[in-house]
């Protein structure tokens, strides 16, 4: 099963992605997480990417595209969920070309839809567990509030992502995501059109509900 997932930062895309990965036993390939790993390991690629990431800018395509396509080739043999890529039209075309060349089907494209103001509130309150980024913790959502300042799932220490607390960086990331001309929504529409031509299936999921509600809706449609 090969799946592409779209959703603004703050839409719960990472959380839902982890659930899909488990359900289908496929690789979860997250471009942002690959960059963060390079940064924490101090690689050349990480050093080049950091300044862009801190400001909420896209890392240039000549760094991002080969990195993601190579990871897909290396880790995606038994199916994949690609998250955070493509984010613009150039990346969308390159991905589609690479899939066709490799005769790799794209089974589903999932779009988690969330209004921009809600996405922003969710980003600023989210807290990341040092043991597992996909343990949901949010200081303003009762159902997933941290317990005594620690992860509500495992008691682990909680951190924030630096680009999550910088309002200008959040706005920039959302400007890119919601841009229907050249940004991530344009890339999503590219795949929606392919679905209309019968080349993939495009699922639109309402991201406003609780984690469980969104998961249920996703599972109903992913069959
Ligand atoms: P994310 O974890 O998806 O929010 O990504 C964090 C940051 O990594 C983004 O704000 C970008 O700076 C960078 N990034 C992730 N994916 C891409 C991509 N497909 N193209 C360019 N930059 C990306």
């Amino acid at each position: 099963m090969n799946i592409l997932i779209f959703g603004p930062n703050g839409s719960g895309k990472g959380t839902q992605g982890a659930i899909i990965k488990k359900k289908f036993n496929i690789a979860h390939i997250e471009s942002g997480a690959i960059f963060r790993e390079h940064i924490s390991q101090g690689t050349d690629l990480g050093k080049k990417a950091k300044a862009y990431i801190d400001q909420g800018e896209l890392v240039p395509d000549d760094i991002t595209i080969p990195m993601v396509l190579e990871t897909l080739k290396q880790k995606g043999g038994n199916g994949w969920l690609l998250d955070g890529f493509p984010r613009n039209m150039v990346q969308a075309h390159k991905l589609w070309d690479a899939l066709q060349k490799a005769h790799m089907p794209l089974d589903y494209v999932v779009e988690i839809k969330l209004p921009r103001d809600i996405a922003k509130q969710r980003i600023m309150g989210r807290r990341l567990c040092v043991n597992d980024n996909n343990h949901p913790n949010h200081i303003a959502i009762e159902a997933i509030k941290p317990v005594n300042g620690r992860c509500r799932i495992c008691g682990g220490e909680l951190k924030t992502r630096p680009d999550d607390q910088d309002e200008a960086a959040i706005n920039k990331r959302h400007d890119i995501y919601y841009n229907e001309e050249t940004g991530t929504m344009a890339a999503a529409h590219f795949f929606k059109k392919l679905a209309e031509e019968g080349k993939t299936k495009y699922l639109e999921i309402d991201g406003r509900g609780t984690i469980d509600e969104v998961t249920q809706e996703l599972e109903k449609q992913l069959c």
Side-chain angles (χ1 to χ4, degrees):
M1 181 73 76
N2 300 330
I3 303 172
L4 199 56
I5 188 164
F6 286 102
N9 299 109
S11 65
K13 180 169 53 81
T15 306
Q16 298 301 332
I19 294 168
I20 296 175
K21 167 203 153 109
K22 217 165 162 192
K23 178 180 165 84
F24 294 112
N25 195 21
I26 52 181
H28 188 182
I29 298 173
E30 257 187 281
S31 48
I34 304 173
F35 282 128
R36 284 188 286 280
E37 208 173 304
H38 275 279
I39 292 171
S40 70
Q41 290 171 357
T43 67
D44 279 350
L45 192 151
K47 281 177 197 146
K48 279 187 201 148
K50 188 172 184 317
Y52 298 98
I53 292 176
D54 284 348
Q55 290 182 32
E57 308 265 12
L58 289 187
V59 178
D61 284 342
D62 60 339
I63 300 175
T64 307
I65 294 172
M67 179 191 84
V68 172
L69 295 184
E70 191 51 36
T71 309
L72 206 55
K73 212 156 72 183
Q74 281 176 9
K75 300 196 176 158
N78 294 321
W80 43 263
L81 173 75
L82 185 53
D83 176 344
F85 184 96
R87 264 168 146 102
N88 61 29
M89 283 308 281
V90 176
Q91 295 181 4
H93 282 288
K94 291 278 183 195
L95 174 65
W96 184 241
D97 289 350
L99 294 182
Q100 285 188 300
K101 227 179 250 168
H103 301 289
M104 244 187 209
L106 177 58
D107 298 291
Y108 289 104
V109 179
V110 173
E111 181 195 343
I112 301 184
K113 293 174 98 74
L114 193 67
R116 186 168 172 159
D117 52 336
I118 301 179
K120 186 169 170 180
Q121 283 165 18
R122 286 199 185 167
I123 293 183
M124 297 195 81
R126 73 180 170 188
R127 296 292 178 267
L128 300 179
C129 171
V130 294
N131 297 327
D132 186 338
N133 262 354
N134 292 309
H135 285 170
N137 288 276
H138 195 289
I139 57 169
I141 300 176
E142 203 51 50
I144 54 171
K145 250 193 184 154
V147 177
N148 298 326
R150 300 188 78 89
C151 174
R152 53 182 280 281
I153 306 284
C154 71
E157 190 190 335
L158 294 175
K159 291 222 158 107
T160 52
R161 261 172 55 173
D163 56 342
D164 278 359
Q165 300 307 307
D166 177 342
E167 209 169 337
I170 295 171
N171 287 339
K172 218 176 274 172
R173 277 146 75 197
H174 280 161
D175 282 346
I176 295 166
Y177 183 83
Y178 289 98
N179 184 331
E180 303 203 357
E181 308 294 320
T182 56
T184 308
M185 282 316 293
H189 290 162
F190 170 84
F191 286 97
K192 199 170 178 178
K193 210 153 162 237
L194 289 174
E196 285 160 14
E197 295 165 13
K199 295 178 179 156
T200 185
K201 293 189 196 76
Y202 196 93
L203 312 182
E204 295 183 61
I205 306 289
D206 184 347
R208 288 173 301 177
T210 62
I211 293 175
D212 285 349
E213 284 165 353
V214 177
T215 305
Q216 269 174 26
E217 158 116 25
L218 194 54
E219 291 196 326
K220 206 163 64 191
Q221 292 205 44
L222 266 181
C223 49

